[in-house]
Amino acid sequence: MIVAPSMLVADFARLGEEARALEEAGADWLHWDVMDGHFVPNLTHGALPMAACRAYSSLTFNAHLMISEPMRYLEGFVEGGADIICAHIEAEDDAREFLQAVRDAGRRPALAISPDTPAGTLAELLPLCDMITVMGVHPGFAGQEFIEGTVEKTAEVRAMIDGLGRAVHIQVDGGVDTSNIRRLCRAGADVIVSGSFVLRHPQGYTTAIEQLRALERDHPA
Ligand code: DX5
Ligand code: ZN
């Protein structure tokens, strides 16, 4: 299982150190939550903070673009060192065009679907994706309550991927913690994002990541 802590919950006054600390704590990827205040009712950052941290960590950088126009800002994320670039299927821009542009830039393309978007919406675009992000919460904020229907939706997406005959990651993003990680792995998730559970854990990043991995070991993805 790939653990991708969300930098949204990191200390923005010390992002480079946080990136380094999460790598030392056993994280596999770093998840960058980009929000434009239009697609979601929150405004975080563009590519700059991620680009500034590129030299601090060798981990895979996963940019999660919760923005209306991902094509308009794609170049900044490519130049800034994002490895996997994910846009929302609900965004204004054409998803097929976005996925191709990411691939043409030599990066790995991904699509995210929000809780109210049916998994079937992905069908035609799945062959163009290296990853599908199934949102466990309505996008916009960390620390929200996990939406239980996400488990069933994850299994639905996994069944669609199994029918493809090619490897596509399933990332679950939002509200993931020790209460739901087993069910999500059993349903077919192999990448999990964690903001609050890892970065606000009372015993620190290493213990938090170890607790997630211990539970997943019972049900390897
Ligand atoms: C929500 C973001 C998630 C969120 C994760 O819009 O995409 O990545 O920050 O934080 P938690 O794990 O606290 O839900
Ligand atoms: Zn995210």
Side-chain angles (χ1 to χ4, degrees), residues 161-180:
I161 291 169
D162 289 347
L164 263 187
R166 65 184 279 270
V168 179
H169 287 301
I170 296 184
Q171 176 181 69
V172 177
D173 181 13
V176 178
D177 61 23
T178 48
S179 71
N180 50 42

Side-chain angles (χ1 to χ4, degrees), residues 143-159:
Q144 299 180 79
E145 182 135 349
F146 181 73
I147 297 170
E148 278 304 322
T150 309
V151 177
E152 186 185 335
K153 191 173 192 180
T154 300
E156 208 181 329
V157 174
R158 179 51 67 194

Side-chain angles (χ1 to χ4, degrees), residues 18-28 30 56-59 209:
E18 291 272 72
R20 195 167 279 159
L22 285 161
E23 180 164 1
E24 286 161 9
D28 299 295
L30 294 182
Y56 283 77
S57 170
S58 59
L59 294 183
I209 292 171

Side-chain angles (χ1 to χ4, degrees), residues 16 40-42 57 66 80 107 127 131 145 154 180 188-189 205 212 214 221:
V40 290
N42 193 7
S57 170
M66 290 162 275
R107 301 299 195 273
M131 179 170 80
E145 182 135 349
T154 300
N180 50 42
Y205 300 163
L212 293 172

Side-chain angles (χ1 to χ4, degrees), residues 22-47:
L22 285 161
E23 180 164 1
E24 286 161 9
D28 299 295
W29 296 359
L30 294 182
H31 183 84
W32 297 89
D33 280 313
V34 178
M35 302 180 193
D36 64 2
H38 300 283
F39 182 74
V40 290
N42 193 7
L43 179 62
T44 57
H45 57 77

